[in-house]
Amino acid sequence: MKKEYGIALFIITVTGLLSVTLSGSVFSGYHFMDCSGFILWKENLSETSFFECLKNNIEQEMRIRFRPAWHFNSLVRTWLWGDNMLSQGFYQLFLVICAAFLVYLLGRKINWTHGESLLFAGISLIGTQSAIFYQTLAIETTALIVLLLSWHLILSYFNNCEGRRKSLYYYGFAFLSVFMALMKENFILFLPASYLFYCMQYNEKYRVGFWKTILQTWKTGLWLLLLTVGCLWAVLTFAGNDFGYAGMGGVYNLFPYVKTTVYLYGISGCLLSFLIAVYLFRNSRINFKKWLFPILLFSAITFPQIIIYGKSNIIDRYLIPAIMGCAGFSIFVYRKTKQQDISVNTVLWKNASLFLGIVLSIFCGFLVFCKPLQEEIIQVARLLQGEVTQTMTSVSSMQYLLSSLSIIGIFGLITGIVLLIYGLIKNSIRKLSQLCLAGILLVLFMNGGLAFASCKRYAMRGFATENFLKTIIDNSHACDAVLIVGNPYVDMEGISTGISTYLKKWDRNNLFICPITNSSQEEQFIPVLKDFYRQKDINTIENKDEIKVIAVFPGSETVFENTNRWFDVNSFHRYEFTGNYVVFVRNNNEWNN
């Protein structure tokens, strides 16, 4: 057993290290999203005590978000590693490895095999949700660790007979449940699932059936219900019910939820599990009593997440924790097929594999080598992401997505070849469990391509940002006027705290803003941006020759040139970086000499 644990930890660690080092994401440095927080918190911690800083941060965000435990976590990270992004990156990887190993251990403790538990961890964390590998302030990572620890304490509680230790396990589960709920708003909706997991373990030990389990665990259920209601009340009171990309506001039809449901269940392999479950049910091979708790647990994990993320689609790190429920259900169905294995129509599946292999190989071959097809797919994918994500997808993001499609295409091409080989081999898969396992492995492999492409895309954005900022610093003095040009609706975080915090760290305090908008809807964000810069916009600069450096965010260059007659492109030296980040440096700037 201990040897298998060591092997699992080794596989998880190597997978994580290879993902972030080969893609370069851990070395990509400063990013406009979230990284500015480390600089600000480091300054605050140097001026005030830890708890005073914690109190101020919670109060400042109170009308926007409700996640006090996250602020505690973020300040601890800053106290440990400061604003060193390389250290923060490796610490984030360490947290992901811990989370993955805890998922594996959870599988082992509920009597899943070594291989099944590894698949459970792989499906849970490998895919587009692997954004938690590199996003240094991803709340989901720490919240997932706390969630998993609370479930491990449930298992320890039911597997321990000693009174004092058993009480400690129970109260530990209660405390971690509270901490998890205060880490991020969507994890509040996970509390009912924790109760169902508690009920599953209770029924597993005492074998009393569904209704008696509910009746005999009502105190725990009532407490978790009150905790859920209390936390939701706090969120609605202090933050509201709409966070832009999530929440219940602005959605008036079912299509976004259907789209989100299909995406979540498709990318996790659950659609295959559903088909197999239906097949088993039609052949009277399902004991409904044994399936009841797992189905309810799966529903309690995934349905609430689909509802709150339906407006923008449940993508990237927002797949957590829903995808863990999908992974668990897929492994559960696979185990049931092994217990009641039946033969499959070999000829049918071989022909289906040949057909899918040919189609996938041809499509992914074009995807790798045909750039017009890549661009068309990006446009379609952007439209399918939902209105909120469409507006947030900047020019730079489009370029990064385009570059990562080749990686996805290569993984898809390999998958197509594997399907072709299976279709040509005689008697390769005869049992339903073998078919189920093959499907899970193919999903995991394809998700591996998505994960690496995501890491690579993040690295490209980071290196471009570092070069963008370094060019501004290298071509300016502390007192020089620096004009920041961008669309506040698309890049609010980048053109506000993202760039200004970094430049002020290097004593570039003479900053001015030039908002670029394309519609009246976008103009409503201009006052917010001006307030952030204390009304220091381009109109406050009487002599435009004082502007030494112009930093232009993606997609804003053409509009800026067309709407500012004073700007003469021949008076500046132009630098462009991946993703359409542009820096103009005045020609008479002594730094160019």
Side-chain angles (χ1 to χ4, degrees):
M1 184 72 76
K2 290 183 178 179
K3 182 180 179 181
E4 290 181 341
Y5 286 177
I7 293 172
L9 183 59
F10 175 77
I11 292 173
I12 290 168
T13 303
V14 169
T15 301
L17 281 171
L18 289 177
S19 297
V20 299
T21 53
L22 292 180
S23 66
S25 60
V26 75
F27 306 115
S28 60
Y30 185 85
H31 289 254
F32 289 131
M33 181 177 291
D34 296 332
C35 292
S36 59
F38 292 119
I39 298 175
L40 296 172
W41 296 326
K42 182 182 177 181
E43 293 176 357
N44 293 339
L45 287 172
S46 67
E47 298 170 357
T48 60
S49 68
F50 180 92
F51 289 103
E52 183 67 23
C53 189
L54 176 63
K55 175 176 172 291
N56 293 337
N57 286 357
I58 293 173
E59 289 178 349
Q60 289 172 7
E61 198 187 43
M62 191 61 78
R63 289 295 172 185
I64 305 172
R65 301 288 298 272
F66 184 75
R67 46 181 185 175
W70 175 78
H71 288 288
F72 176 81
N73 169 70
S74 301
L75 288 176
V76 169
R77 292 186 62 151
T78 307
W79 178 74
L80 287 172
W81 312 111
D83 57 5
N84 186 312
M85 297 316 302
L86 183 63
S87 299
Q88 291 287 359
F90 276 110
Y91 180 68
Q92 179 67 20
L93 176 62
F94 168 74
L95 292 178
V96 172
I97 290 172
C98 289
F101 189 65
L102 285 171
V103 175
Y104 167 82
L105 280 180
L106 183 67
R108 297 311 309 270
K109 285 187 176 181
I110 57 177
N111 299 320
W112 289 0
T113 67
H114 173 67
E116 291 165 354
S117 300
L118 278 174
L119 282 176
F120 182 30
I123 298 172
S124 296
L125 296 176
I126 295 178
T128 59
Q129 68 272 27
S130 297
I132 64 170
F133 279 50
Y134 50 75
Q135 288 189 9
T136 49
L137 270 182
I139 318 172
E140 290 78 7
T141 315
T142 310
L144 180 61
I145 290 174
V146 175
L147 159 65
L148 290 166
L149 288 173
S150 72
W151 280 24
H152 278 281
L153 289 177
I154 291 175
L155 292 169
S156 299
Y157 172 75
F158 284 110
N159 294 329
N160 194 286
C161 297
E162 185 181 334
R164 180 177 297 179
R165 182 176 294 181
K166 193 167 186 175
S167 297
L168 287 175
Y169 288 140
Y170 186 84
Y171 290 121
F173 157 66
F175 171 76
L176 290 178
S177 296
V178 175
F179 195 73
M180 175 192 73
L182 297 178
M183 185 67 69
K184 192 185 177 189
E185 299 87 350
N186 69 310
F187 276 80
I188 297 171
L189 302 178
F190 206 93
L191 292 172
S194 289
Y195 173 62
L196 282 170
F197 184 75
Y198 182 91
C199 290
M200 280 182 65
Q201 302 314 310
Y202 185 93
N203 186 55
E204 189 73 22
K205 182 173 183 178
Y206 298 109
R207 303 291 181 179
V208 294
F210 177 79
W211 291 112
K212 284 188 177 181
T213 297
I214 299 298
L215 290 173
Q216 294 171 12
T217 60
W218 71 270
K219 291 182 180 179
T220 301
L222 179 61
W223 179 80
L224 286 172
L225 175 63
L226 292 175
L227 177 60
T228 303
V229 173
C231 288
L232 288 176
W233 173 85
V235 171
L236 295 173
T237 302
F238 298 117
N241 71 333
D242 193 346
F243 302 103
Y245 64 92
M248 296 297 294
V251 180
Y252 305 104
N253 60 73
L254 290 177
F255 178 71
Y257 299 110
V258 174
K259 179 183 62 178
T260 300
T261 303
V262 172
Y263 177 80
L264 171 64
Y265 294 158
I267 203 169
S268 62
C270 262
L271 292 180
L272 174 63
S273 300
F274 293 158
L275 292 174
I276 291 175
V278 170
Y279 182 79
L280 291 174
F281 180 77
R282 288 190 62 185
N283 287 273
S284 302
R285 292 178 177 264
I286 287 182
N287 185 335
F288 185 72
K289 291 181 179 180
K290 292 183 178 181
W291 283 65
L292 181 57
F293 271 122
I295 291 174
L296 290 175
L297 180 62
F298 166 74
S299 303
I301 292 174
T302 60
F303 287 0
Q305 307 300 319
I306 289 170
I307 291 172
I308 62 171
Y309 287 117
K311 65 186 298 183
S312 60
N313 205 356
I314 185 168
I315 57 174
D316 295 342
R317 59 188 174 93
Y318 305 120
L319 284 163
I320 295 172
I323 200 162
M324 190 179 79
C326 296
F329 185 75
S330 294
I331 302 302
F332 169 78
V333 171
Y334 167 63
R335 286 174 56 82
K336 289 302 179 183
T337 59
K338 283 201 304 181
Q339 294 171 7
Q340 306 179 48
D341 220 350
I342 54 180
S343 299
V344 296
N345 188 327
T346 305
V347 176
L348 173 64
W349 286 107
K350 282 168 63 68
N351 290 335
S353 180
L354 276 172
F355 175 76
L356 289 174
I358 292 171
V359 172
L360 193 59
S361 298
I362 294 174
F363 176 77
C364 290
F366 277 107
L367 186 61
V368 173
F369 301 108
C370 182
K371 188 174 180 180
L373 178 61
Q374 294 178 352
E375 294 174 347
E376 186 64 28
I377 289 174
I378 290 296
Q379 292 297 333
V380 172
R382 180 172 178 263
L383 291 173
L384 290 175
Q385 288 304 307
E387 182 180 349
V388 175
T389 309
Q390 287 176 35
T391 56
M392 293 172 65
T393 305
S394 63
V395 175
S396 60
S397 299
M398 298 294 285
Q399 292 191 12
Y400 300 139
L401 286 169
L402 189 63
S403 67
S404 64
L405 270 181
S406 295
I407 298 173
I408 298 172
I410 291 171
F411 275 77
L413 188 59
I414 295 172
T415 303
I417 293 172
V418 170
L419 288 170
L420 282 171
I421 293 173
Y422 161 65
L424 294 172
I425 295 176
K426 294 183 178 180
N427 302 324
S428 51
I429 292 180
R430 294 183 176 184
K431 298 293 184 180
L432 186 62
S433 62
Q434 294 175 326
L435 179 65
C436 183
L437 179 61
I440 292 173
L441 290 172
L442 284 175
V443 167
L444 181 60
F445 182 77
M446 284 298 296
N447 282 346
L450 293 173
F452 188 76
S454 178
C455 291
K456 188 69 175 178
R457 188 166 65 247
Y458 185 82
M460 291 176 63
R461 183 182 286 110
F463 290 131
T465 302
E466 284 278 326
N467 291 328
F468 178 62
L469 294 169
K470 186 176 184 297
T471 302
I472 298 171
I473 300 297
D474 291 346
N475 289 279
S476 63
H477 291 101
C479 59
D480 286 344
V482 177
L483 181 66
I484 298 167
V485 181
N487 188 324
Y489 188 61
V490 176
D491 286 307
M492 175 58 86
E493 186 173 2
I495 62 180
S496 56
T497 56
I499 189 170
S500 64
T501 302
Y502 186 92
L503 293 178
K504 288 177 181 177
K505 177 186 176 182
W506 292 92
D507 297 323
R508 302 308 191 266
N509 298 307
N510 197 18
L511 306 178
F512 297 85
I513 187 68
C514 177
I516 298 295
T517 57
N518 299 309
S519 67
S520 57
Q521 181 184 11
E522 296 177 0
E523 291 177 359
Q524 62 182 315
F525 292 88
I526 293 179
V528 178
L529 189 62
K530 286 185 177 181
D531 288 343
F532 181 84
Y533 280 92
R534 299 179 180 179
Q535 305 303 317
K536 291 177 63 177
D537 67 353
I538 189 172
N539 297 319
T540 62
I541 307 175
E542 295 183 2
N543 183 6
K544 300 301 189 289
D545 291 338
E546 295 177 359
I547 300 174
K548 302 302 180 183
V549 177
I550 303 173
V552 185
F553 276 74
S556 299
E557 182 182 5
T558 302
V559 178
F560 171 74
E561 292 180 359
N562 293 336
T563 56
N564 290 272
R565 295 182 180 180
W566 61 268
F567 178 75
D568 181 9
V569 69
N570 295 319
S571 300
F572 292 85
H573 186 78
R574 183 180 182 276
Y575 301 87
E576 182 175 358
F577 307 99
T578 306
N580 195 225
Y581 287 97
V582 177
V583 176
F584 289 101
V585 179
R586 191 171 289 278
N587 289 333
N588 60 1
N589 192 338
E590 66 180 73
W591 290 90
N592 290 326
N593 297 330

